[in-house]
Amino acid sequence: MNLYTEHQHLRYNPLRDSWVLVSAHRMKRPWAGQVEKPPEEHIPRYDPHNPLCPGNTRANGEVNPDYDSTFVFPNDFPALQPDAPSPGIDQHPLFQSRSARGVCKVMCFHPWSDVTLPLMKKEEVVKVIDKWVELVQELGATYPWVQIFENKGAMMGCSNPHPHCQVWASNFLPNEPAVSDRCQREYYQKHGEPLLLHYATQEAQRKERVVVESSDWLAVVPYWATWPYQMLLLPRRHVLRLTDLTAEERQDLADIMKRLLTKYDNLFEVSFPYSMGWHGAPTGPHLTEDSSHWQLHAHYYPPLLRSATVKKFMVGYEMLALEQRDLTPEQAAEKLRNLPDIHYKTRQHLEEKVQEATS
């Protein structure tokens, strides 16, 4: 009898100093709850009313250039602005506030609305990575934190199907990276090795949670994963920030991203929704500090659980007590690992061509 698949148990997340309840037997329960609308599969390549398409007018009246690669512009409705006033320092200890300043940018990956990262050419994905590096270098010269993130799919709150991400830079270290910074620092001080560098070495040896890997990168369903098909993307060598990647590592990153995201899409044969983002050593005033405890990594948090229309809900016990998952990370990794490397849309297109040729 396998402990992982037959009995509930707790797993420790060293990046957040928290625990996750794994209850694999719950996958056997019938589902009669909410069913989501499947992701839209037929997106027009160009929509004259889409504010992210080349040559179109955005809400603020600005006209997009006829871009043919990546395109970055200031968010028309930013959550952070560089000139916000300070709330002052005379405050009650139970009613504290601080200044929040920063900038928010939107980055389009491609001029076409009907492609996503796994369907883009490798050299096009490399250009996305190069632009990420450029933005971290530019904004990180001033701001302590630069958060690159992508919300993909309406299920993850994305209001526009055009392939894009966002970049928010802030004058403060947000909650998640602040906790991660503390946990990585404590591990480094105790063990003399970066937490995630040690973890990547261990996962590469154990193999059971590895989904895709290369000479430079490793993508695993983390041992402590909360979301069903959660992913942790790690470099194999010690890297602090995106700006520290070599040209060869960026090329390899583009390849492993395409492979990983192709498997995501192939799981339920839909454009797989997720929220993802990069975490690296803090920037701005922290650039001169010793950040040896940090290791660059990307998080992928996809909500789908049983099918293209049934997602995990983070409610009830998870909100009030402890994060909980049904499918074990090992089961999730095996499912993804065994999927083909050819995208289902590419396969369908090839099958259609064969049918045309033989009819």
Side-chain angles (χ1 to χ4, degrees):
M1 185 175 290
N2 191 323
L3 166 69
Y4 283 166
T5 58
E6 298 297 333
H7 296 287
Q8 68 267 18
H9 58 281
L10 296 173
R11 296 194 183 191
Y12 181 64
N13 181 347
L15 271 182
R16 302 189 73 246
D17 190 21
S18 62
W19 293 84
V20 178
L21 173 62
V22 182
S23 310
H25 57 281
R26 279 169 56 86
M27 283 297 289
K28 299 174 183 177
R29 67 191 172 114
W31 180 255
Q34 180 168 316
V35 175
E36 308 295 326
K37 180 182 177 182
E40 178 60 52
E41 287 291 293
H42 303 289
I43 306 294
R45 179 157 294 181
Y46 170 77
D47 180 351
H49 302 294
N50 189 325
L52 298 186
C53 286
N56 287 359
T57 303
R58 303 200 306 274
N60 65 353
E62 295 283 337
V63 178
N64 297 333
D66 289 320
Y67 63 93
D68 58 6
S69 181
T70 59
F71 169 50
V72 178
F73 62 91
N75 193 313
D76 297 328
F77 304 97
L80 291 164
Q81 296 178 324
D83 54 358
S86 174
I89 58 173
D90 186 18
Q91 300 179 41
H92 189 282
L94 296 179
F95 303 96
Q96 298 185 50
S97 57
R98 290 173 50 195
S99 68
R101 300 188 182 95
V103 295
C104 299
K105 294 180 180 288
V106 176
M107 173 183 163
C108 295
F109 296 152
H110 197 280
W112 296 352
S113 293
D114 61 343
V115 298
T116 54
L117 286 169
L119 292 171
M120 289 166 56
K121 297 175 182 176
K122 178 181 174 179
E123 56 267 29
E124 294 173 332
V125 180
V126 171
K127 289 180 179 179
V128 170
I129 296 166
D130 287 343
K131 185 59 68 172
W132 283 344
V133 171
E134 184 182 315
L135 287 166
V136 171
Q137 194 155 22
E138 172 196 338
L139 299 172
T142 304
Y143 291 102
W145 190 254
V146 180
Q147 183 61 65
I148 296 169
F149 65 97
E150 178 194 5
N151 294 326
K152 179 171 178 268
M155 200 177 292
M156 298 308 293
C158 182
S159 59
N160 194 310
H162 194 90
H164 71 285
C165 72
Q166 297 190 54
V167 184
W168 293 13
S170 61
N171 70 335
F172 56 89
L173 196 60
N175 293 345
E176 291 298 317
V179 171
S180 182
D181 179 72
R182 174 178 62 81
C183 291
Q184 290 181 85
R185 187 186 301 277
E186 290 175 356
Y187 188 92
Y188 187 79
Q189 290 172 346
K190 184 176 181 180
H191 299 280
E193 184 177 9
L195 187 161
L196 287 177
L197 188 62
H198 190 191
Y199 178 69
T201 302
Q202 289 290 314
E203 287 288 28
Q205 293 172 356
R206 297 173 185 239
K207 298 293 185 185
E208 60 186 335
R209 284 172 295 274
V210 175
V211 176
V212 290
E213 60 182 321
S214 68
S215 58
D216 296 319
W217 295 90
L218 189 74
V220 303
V221 179
Y223 177 77
W224 53 82
T226 299
W227 294 94
Y229 296 95
Q230 184 174 325
M231 199 67 55
L232 188 61
L233 179 56
L234 297 158
R236 289 183 182 268
R237 74 172 180 94
H238 191 196
V239 180
L240 298 184
R241 304 174 180 91
L242 278 168
T243 49
D244 297 321
L245 294 175
T246 66
E248 291 76 15
E249 286 169 333
R250 296 185 201 182
Q251 290 277 339
D252 202 28
L253 175 57
D255 183 66
I256 205 164
M257 284 173 59
K258 278 180 58 65
R259 289 168 59 198
L260 169 61
L261 298 179
T262 292
K263 287 182 179 291
Y264 265 175
D265 284 6
N266 284 346
L267 181 61
F268 300 127
E269 294 200 346
V270 294
S271 186
F272 207 67
Y274 58 75
S275 281
M276 71 79 63
W278 285 97
H279 279 182
T283 50
H286 303 285
L287 289 170
T288 56
E289 299 175 358
D290 182 4
S291 297
S292 299
H293 57 290
W294 264 93
Q295 174 74 333
L296 175 71
H297 57 284
H299 294 284
Y300 286 83
Y301 299 125
L304 293 180
L305 174 59
R306 295 167 178 256
S307 68
T309 58
V310 177
K311 70 176 184 178
K312 172 180 174 57
F313 289 89
M314 196 76 79
V315 297
Y317 191 83
E318 286 100 339
M319 295 178 73
L320 298 166
L322 186 74
E323 294 176 345
Q324 183 269 337
R325 66 175 289 125
D326 298 345
L327 187 72
T328 70
E330 294 73 29
Q331 291 169 331
E334 184 178 16
K335 284 188 177 185
L336 290 170
R337 187 170 54 244
N338 292 336
L339 290 168
D341 291 323
I342 298 176
H343 197 279
Y344 75 93
K345 284 190 174 181
T346 303
R347 174 178 52 77
Q348 289 173 351
H349 182 65
L350 291 173
E351 290 172 353
E352 289 170 1
K353 279 193 169 184
V354 170
Q355 289 179 351
E356 290 175 2
T358 57
S359 61

